[in-house]
Amino acid sequence: SDRQEALSERETEILRLLSGGYSNKEIANALVIAEGTVKNHVSNVLAKLRLADRTQAALFAVRVGIADPRR
């Protein structure tokens, strides 16, 4: 989708981890970045995808094939 293409590679990576149920802290540790940076990325992802929250983002990720629902 056009909305998905608006995401940077890093934002897509954040979205994939977020949809796997990881917290901001866990995502920060996994990507070796600051937790605040993760929060900024999550906010950007939600804004770009026009979604209200992490749950909607996770559902979007599964729907467009960014995340695997079986994980």
Side-chain angles (χ1 to χ4, degrees):
S1 84
D2 291 344
R3 293 191 296 172
Q4 183 184 345
E5 286 159 18
L7 297 182
S8 70
E9 218 171 291
R10 179 61 104 188
E11 288 165 345
T12 301
E13 199 173 7
I14 300 266
L15 178 55
R16 187 177 294 118
L17 291 167
L18 175 158
S19 59
Y22 293 94
S23 68
N24 286 352
K25 189 182 187 98
E26 289 168 327
I27 294 170
N29 290 340
L31 301 180
V32 196
I33 56 177
E35 195 173 345
T37 305
V38 175
K39 285 181 183 167
N40 290 340
H41 282 310
V42 171
S43 296
N44 291 340
V45 167
L46 294 178
K48 284 183 179 183
L49 298 179
R50 298 190 293 279
L51 301 171
D53 56 38
R54 294 170 80 98
T55 302
Q56 285 188 358
L59 291 171
F60 174 87
V62 169
R63 197 168 64 239
V64 300
I66 290 173
D68 182 348
R70 292 163 301 196
R71 294 185 129 199

